[in-house]
Every structure is written in C-alpha cells, then in structure tokens.
Amino acid sequence: MKIEKKIGNWCQDAHFMDFVHRRMHQELTERPENGRYDDLFEELDEAFDHDDRYIEPLVEYLICRLHIAKLCKNARQRERGIWWVWFQVVMEGHYVQAFSEYFDPLLAELRMTLMPMLHKEYVLMNTLKEK
C-alpha cells in the first residue's frame, strides 16, 4: 500500500486528526527549540523580506534541512529537525500560499514525513492507554 493511500486512510480517522491538530499546536506553542535561531535561514528570510527572488533559496534551504533531519540516525534529533522545518514553514504564513509553486514540493514531502511519524506516535499512545 502506498504511503499516500495510508495517509488518506489515517486522515479519515477523526480521533487521529484530533491528535494531529493537538500535536501540531503543541509544537507551535510549547517547543522553544523550534524557534531557535539559524543564521543562514534568518539571512535568507530577511533577504526574502526585501526581494522576492530569495524565495527559491529559502525553500531550497528548508528542503535541505528536512533531508538532513531525515538522514539523522538519532530518532530524537531526527524528529526535532523535522519539526523545526515544519515550524519555519508555518511561520512563513501567507507566503506559503502566495509562492505555492516553490513551497508545494516541500509541503508534500513534509506531509509524507510528518504523518507517518505522527501516526506512529498516535498508535504508541493508544497502545499504552490500553495497558
């Protein structure tokens, strides 16, 4: 079964989607390390504020950070890196929609990375509740 189909099935589960929204809200509001300073990202973000041509390098940097996080062998560091990229995308706000041609590949990959991670956490949580 392809991962897209699995994700589609998972998204039909209202309890899972409630869990996803709670976790995303938690990462957005309760994790100070998600907003940690990254010199290169901040430089690209500030340059983008002044010139739209910097959107492509900004998105490429986020894609690179996502790939680096996915390659990390330490599960905790891998998850922290993935959440950091997600947090930065959320902080870009309306630019994600305004420059969708640049962000769409990143959003798709981020979804294919985050949803299995969240589903694994959800299943583990439910398994522990049952015991």
Side-chain angles (χ1 to χ4, degrees), residues 44-99:
L44 289 168
D45 194 37
E46 284 181 30
F48 171 62
D49 286 342
H50 301 293
D51 188 347
D52 290 351
R53 292 178 296 173
Y54 282 92
I55 189 65
E56 192 168 10
L58 177 75
V59 173
E60 287 297 322
Y61 181 72
L62 290 172
I63 290 171
C64 181
R65 286 289 304 259
L66 180 60
H67 290 176
I68 290 170
K70 288 168 59 174
L71 291 171
C72 189
K73 292 185 188 294
N74 181 303
R76 176 176 236 123
Q77 288 178 346
R78 180 175 49 251
E79 288 181 8
R80 287 290 97 225
I82 293 167
W83 280 116
W84 183 88
V85 172
W86 175 82
F87 181 86
Q88 299 307 328
V89 169
V90 169
M91 291 294 103
E92 289 302 316
H94 72 277
Y95 292 122
V96 174
Q97 293 173 341
F99 294 94

